[in-house]
Amino acid sequence: MVIGELRPGMAIIYNDQLYLLINCEHTKIARGPAFCRARLRNLKTDQVLERTLRDSDNVEPAFIEKRKLQYQYHQDDQYHFMDLETYEDLLLHKSRIADKSFWLVDNLELVGLFYDNKLIDLEFPPSLIFKVTETDPGFRGDTVKQGTKPATLETGLVINVPNFINSGENIRVNTKTKDYLGRA
């Protein structure tokens, strides 16, 4: 593969490992060969690397298939998902999604990333709705500008919410930044 074809979001095989290109800065200096300064995320270990890739490096494109999944339940260290097209039961080990497990609620529809017909990662919607299970009570007259307070969601995730949010309310949360977006 020619280094000039690399684009952010591509899946590649580099040094016999599967990586996702987070960003890629192409450079050509005078008469020298072109190269790419890249940030790579290993799709098996989630480790992020910074590498300079050249045409002489062994870089191959990898085909990542995306399929719609539905989260079912977890038992011990296994998380169970159902493929919405084939109704097949798929498993992911806790170690693969430890930092994403607080987004999982029963019957959540999400996208599964597959490589060689194996589920390797999950892609969540940009925002999700959660119920606030525990927070300090809000008081009459509290507004957004007065500040925030911690709130525990139904999955155990703790985020900051405006003072007027009370226990039992449904709120929308950004899945990338873990920020409060509004009432639902």
Side-chain angles (χ1 to χ4, degrees):
M1 170 179 223
V2 179
I3 295 301
E5 297 173 0
L6 294 177
R7 300 285 176 258
M10 281 181 78
I12 61 169
I13 298 173
Y14 173 66
N15 289 342
D16 296 325
Q17 295 284 325
L18 182 64
Y19 290 97
L20 182 69
L21 233 58
I22 297 172
N23 64 16
C24 185
E25 182 183 317
H26 295 280
T27 309
K28 173 136 176 58
I29 300 175
R31 295 182 185 178
F35 60 92
C36 174
R37 287 189 185 99
R39 289 190 68 208
L40 307 166
R41 181 171 63 96
N42 189 315
L43 287 174
K44 294 193 180 187
T45 64
D46 278 340
Q47 180 182 14
V48 176
L49 306 172
E50 293 196 18
R51 295 287 187 259
T52 300
L53 303 175
R54 295 175 168 67
D55 282 330
S56 60
D57 290 334
N58 188 14
V59 177
E60 301 172 24
F63 177 70
I64 300 290
E65 182 183 3
K66 293 184 178 185
R67 294 189 217 162
K68 289 187 178 183
L69 303 177
Q70 183 180 43
Y71 172 66
Q72 299 293 307
Y73 62 95
H74 79 278
Q75 183 176 17
D76 299 326
D77 290 342
Q78 299 290 333
Y79 286 81
H80 295 257
F81 299 89
M82 179 178 65
D83 188 325
L84 291 177
E85 291 179 16
T86 64
Y87 302 108
E88 178 184 0
D89 186 31
L90 303 164
L91 300 173
L92 259 183
H93 193 269
K94 181 181 180 179
S95 63
R96 292 291 310 129
I97 56 170
D99 60 332
K100 300 175 185 176
S101 62
F102 47 76
W103 298 124
L104 295 173
V105 291
D106 290 343
N107 300 321
L108 172 69
E109 291 188 13
L110 59 146
V111 175
L113 303 177
F114 290 80
Y115 179 70
D116 281 343
N117 214 19
K118 291 181 186 172
L119 180 61
I120 58 169
D121 204 2
L122 303 172
E123 216 175 70
F124 290 90
S127 66
L128 292 171
I129 296 173
F130 293 99
K131 185 175 190 172
V132 176
T133 57
E134 185 181 327
T135 188
D136 295 334
F139 297 103
R140 185 180 177 101
D142 282 343
T143 64
V144 176
K145 296 187 190 252
Q146 283 187 338
T148 60
K149 61 184 178 181
T152 305
L153 305 180
E154 61 189 296
T155 60
L157 179 65
V158 177
I159 66 165
N160 287 325
V161 297
N163 287 331
F164 58 83
I165 297 295
N166 294 311
S167 295
E169 289 189 53
N170 289 329
I171 62 170
R172 185 171 298 279
V173 179
N174 183 323
T175 57
K176 299 281 185 216
T177 62
K178 300 179 188 171
D179 290 334
Y180 165 85
L181 295 177
R183 286 180 169 153

